[in-house]
Amino acid sequence: MYKTEKIVYLEALVSRLQADDEEFTAYQEAYYRVQAGIAGELKMQRTLADYHFIDPYKIFYNFECINEKGFSHQIDALIITTRFLLVVEVKQISGTLFYKPSFHEFARQTDEGIIENFPNPFDQAYRHQLYISYLLSNWGIQLPVLYIVVNANIRTKLDSSLNGSPIIHLSGLPKFLEKLYKNNVETTVNLTDLERKLMAIACRLPISKNVERDRIRNGVLCKKCEFQHVMYYHHGLWICPQCGVKNKEAIFWALHHHRVLIGDRITNRELRKFVGIDCKAVASKLLKRLNFEQFGKGRGVYYLIPEDVLERSIE
Ligand SMILES: [Zn+2]
């Protein structure tokens, strides 16, 4: 499955934050929003995979970079052909979308009638367009740079106030590309060279992890109960007092959460606190069975939680 670092972080956070945390709802909403965004991007990837591009072409999905002024650009798709370069901003917003062009105000009305403003996708895409144009001119490359906002939710209604704005439903993307091919003449731009230049500035944007340790719940949590209940350890098994599920593997989800939210290093003492084992010897035995890489000496010993911790098994 296609998962960015951001969604892994938000998923872990939503599973581990205290239920009464001030920001719980905000993080939960962010999690749903990122999930919807990924669903939209996948739909677009399928549509573009089905499309027959005429010239040589290249598509960058999720193109991220930081500009000279230190601000980030996160572009859902960058379609490069020898006739044009297209910035695609994908939206997956439900309800009815409205636009007041003179105010640059973008809003949606939910099926329940609630109206709320959203970041204006035209201004977002325009900002990317300007930056890419600036880069191309710096590189001495002459290629028209355009942008389009693509709505990937077929149930979304686009209000007539959006007439004339660069937004289309995803199903219209092939037609839109045909039009670009027709309206732009072939250039001598070397795509391999352009691709290399773009790759050189692309980077993965770091996500801000600013949730303090004491806001993260301790315990091995029951996945079957959507991480609501703390399991207890008995004769090498984790047992959920709520649903009664018993297994050896629940510890891996806890350590995955630790790795994503707190850090990939864990000491015996930290493990005891985090998974709720009082006895040092029991924790040592557990660490031995986990077979993680061990660093340091004496009191400074710590273990490294591997990236693939969820695929590990325990005897
Ligand atoms: Zn349970």
Side-chain angles (χ1 to χ4, degrees), residues 82-136:
T82 47
R83 289 169 189 251
F84 58 85
L85 191 155
L86 181 66
V87 169
V88 186
E89 178 78 22
V90 184
K91 290 292 158 199
Q92 166 107 346
I93 306 172
S94 58
T96 307
L97 305 183
F98 297 87
Y99 190 49
K100 293 180 192 164
S102 55
F103 299 132
H104 288 241
E105 186 179 284
F106 189 80
R108 75 103 168 251
Q109 184 169 26
T110 64
D111 296 337
E112 292 77 38
I114 301 160
I115 297 173
E116 49 194 337
N117 281 359
F118 269 76
N120 179 342
F122 307 124
D123 291 346
Q124 289 176 335
Y126 177 61
R127 184 179 158 263
H128 299 322
Q129 181 200 30
L130 282 183
Y131 182 59
I132 299 286
S133 302
Y134 161 81
L135 284 175
L136 294 194

Side-chain angles (χ1 to χ4, degrees), residues 222 224-225 240 242-243 245:
C222 177
K224 203 177 161 202
C225 294
C240 174
Q242 187 69 20
C243 71
V245 101

